[in-house]
Amino acid sequence: MSIADPTVAPSPKRPFWGDDPWPFVVLAAVALLPLVAIKPTTWLVLTVAGLAMGMMIFIMASGLTLVFGLMGVINFGHGAFISLGAFLGATVLLRMGAWTGVDSIAMNLLAVVPAMVFAVAVTGALGWAFERAIIRPVYDNHLKQILVTIGGIIVAEQMIHVVWGPDQIALPRPTAFKGALGYGEIVFEKYRLLACVLGLAVFVGLHYMLNRTKLGLLIRAGVENGPMVEALGYRIRLLFVLVFVAGSALAGLGGVMWGLYQELITAGMGMEVMVLVFIVIIVGGLGSVGGCFMGAILVGLVANYTGYLAPKIALASNIGLMVAILMWRPQGLFPVIRQ
Amino acid sequence: MAEALLSLAGVHTHIGRYHILQGVDMAVPEGRLTMLLGRNGAGKTTTLKTIIGLCKASQGTLRFAGEEIQARATPEISRLGIAYVPEDMGIFAGLTVKENMSLAARDGEIDDARLRWVFKLFPPMEKFWSLRAGFLSGGQKQMLAISRAVIEKRRLILIDEPTKGLAPAIIGALIEAFLELKRSGATILLVEQNFHMARSVGDGVFVMDDGRVVHAGAMAELAADEALQKRLLGLSLGAHQ
């Protein structure tokens, strides 16, 4: 009989939806209802576009939801790391025009991957500095957190203007990721497929880390009850710094993805996309990575379906989604259990 | 007289603008189960939180195994060998029983013999090993909280009101578990409102009132003196048997 031996007690096989199938029912309803008004081929194209958008928002939002869940820190400055990531990635990509301009996936990836690694490394390091200089003095004070992190994003935007200039920068996609793959009326943009793959990889990686490693166990416990984790002998502040750095790095990665998606980057792009990021983490349940993933998919799908069916209400559609979900579940789809 | 493993001298603690502990003096002997009794609001929970570092002492000295701990952070105090079971049990409801216990094993590995001993102490832990702790009953959660505190050998175990809101049958099981822990040589400081429990398991007792220790002595003496109980705790033993 050992802790490593799962036969100590029978472990019932749980369904993939865990103990609560209702959020999955909502997701299925949101995904399938538009079929009433949209041709199946168009619906398939819109669904993939929605998933791609959702995956990119998930990459940007996943770190923020853990930061809030673990320490209750409201970081409006998260958008700065998205903008910075985009500019850092662009700096590398624009210098590798010879690699991005050829129609070769391998050559393009040899440019895109270093750009992403550079953006992730620098935004991660800046996240560490941001946590020490800006966040640490205002732990346990939400009002000050909001004020100083909004101040942080304003300073960051101005720093981007100083370093990269005040103009928006065109960031064309590498040649192999331009255009679309298709069969008849079904057409998928190549870049959106890449975004789906990358977002899914980030989700699987986070899911593995949170559910299969001691670090993930500590993060999940810390989100529920930080003081008890400390009483068990673990330094929750150190854990928080690690999560903050990882969250900032993911925002940087998301910034590169979003920049290539829009093919245009501005210093204010992080702040603009933060509206969607906040909707996603609120809809998913603050502190829940699984909820963030599902919230991001819902937001992406709703934005694309309403953009096609009723473009005039597309901008408000995600606010409507958030209101509807909060009326049903005030703590989001997958609320984190706290003592 | 056993040597004091933990001692508090003139400890004051403030929570916000409230002055909760107002000069607590206490010596917890090694290898004994010491009860900490008192009315609601006397400062018992704050005393435990001050020992583990979740509340900071504003004045006074806390000494554990010869080392001053009042300036140390909670994880550091915990790593000296102090386990803490809070009043709300501190269970991670979204984690399984196994994961809750794994967190208490700091090197990640639970000793097999120790695990068997804990399963013998609290059989539901074996039965619900893979279940999320949020699904356990109140009594089972308390068992998990105590199991987690003892899954590795600790020098001192602080437990805050383990019988609160539990059925008599569960309280009986907890009493048996505490007696077994005593036999294993554990040093325990146990906050309790249930006098029957206190009388059954306690070796020594401190009674607190208004943020101070107002009585210290053997548990048997307090249990035998109904007038003293009434004066210190406002209760009679007969009513709690």
Side-chain angles (χ1 to χ4, degrees), chain A residues 142-300:
Chain A
H142 283 162
L143 181 61
K144 283 185 181 173
Q145 283 166 12
I146 292 168
L147 291 174
V148 300
T149 55
I150 287 179
I153 197 169
I154 292 169
V155 171
E157 281 186 18
Q158 296 311 308
M159 291 302 290
I160 288 173
H161 287 314
V162 169
V163 176
W164 282 280
D167 299 327
Q168 54 191 20
I169 296 175
L171 183 60
R173 290 176 203 163
T175 306
F177 297 112
K178 287 179 179 168
L181 299 172
Y183 180 77
E185 288 182 33
I186 302 171
V187 178
F188 301 127
E189 269 193 55
K190 291 179 192 169
Y191 186 73
R192 285 178 168 158
L193 294 174
L194 175 72
C196 285
V197 170
L198 197 62
L200 208 57
V202 169
F203 175 68
V204 169
L206 277 176
H207 192 267
Y208 179 85
M209 186 274 289
L210 286 170
N211 292 289
R212 295 278 185 272
T213 66
K214 182 76 180 264
L215 179 65
L217 187 59
L218 280 169
I219 291 171
R220 285 189 292 142
V223 167
E224 276 195 42
N225 189 342
M228 195 61 222
V229 173
E230 291 217 299
L232 288 170
Y234 301 99
R235 293 168 63 194
I236 195 91
R237 288 281 163 98
L238 183 63
L239 197 62
F240 175 67
V241 173
L242 284 174
V243 169
F244 198 92
V245 168
S248 305
L250 283 170
L253 175 64
V256 181
M257 296 292 294
W258 195 253
L260 283 168
Y261 177 60
Q262 304 279 4
E263 297 194 276
L264 195 70
I265 58 172
T266 66
M269 63 181 279
M271 195 63 149
E272 288 158 17
V273 82
M274 279 302 283
V275 175
L276 290 177
V277 167
F278 273 118
I279 289 174
V280 161
I281 65 172
I282 290 167
V283 162
L286 294 163
S288 162
V289 169
C292 178
F293 185 69
M294 183 169 284
I297 291 175
L298 279 171
V299 163

Side-chain angles (χ1 to χ4, degrees), chain A residues 294-314:
Chain A
M294 183 169 284
I297 291 175
L298 279 171
V299 163
L301 292 178
V302 168
N304 277 273
Y305 294 145
T306 51
Y308 178 80
L309 287 169
K312 286 182 181 171
I313 64 161

Side-chain angles (χ1 to χ4, degrees), chain B residues 81-83 104-106 114 148-149 152-157:
Chain B
I82 302 179
R106 290 180 198 132
R114 190 78 178 176
R148 196 173 59 185
E152 278 190 353
K153 206 164 173 64
R154 307 278 189 238
R155 299 183 72 181
L156 172 66
I157 305 163

Side-chain angles (χ1 to χ4, degrees), chain B residues 174-192:
Chain B
L174 286 180
I175 288 173
E176 288 304 315
F178 286 128
L179 292 174
E180 175 60 29
L181 282 172
K182 272 177 67 172
R183 282 192 287 273
S184 75
T187 305
I188 302 171
L189 179 59
L190 178 59
V191 167
E192 191 48 76

Side-chain angles (χ1 to χ4, degrees), chain A residues 53 276 279 283 298-300 302-303 314-323:
Chain A
M53 182 180 168
L276 290 177
I279 289 174
V283 162
L298 279 171
V299 163
V302 168
L315 278 175
S317 61
N318 279 312
I319 301 285
L321 172 76
M322 181 173 70
V323 170

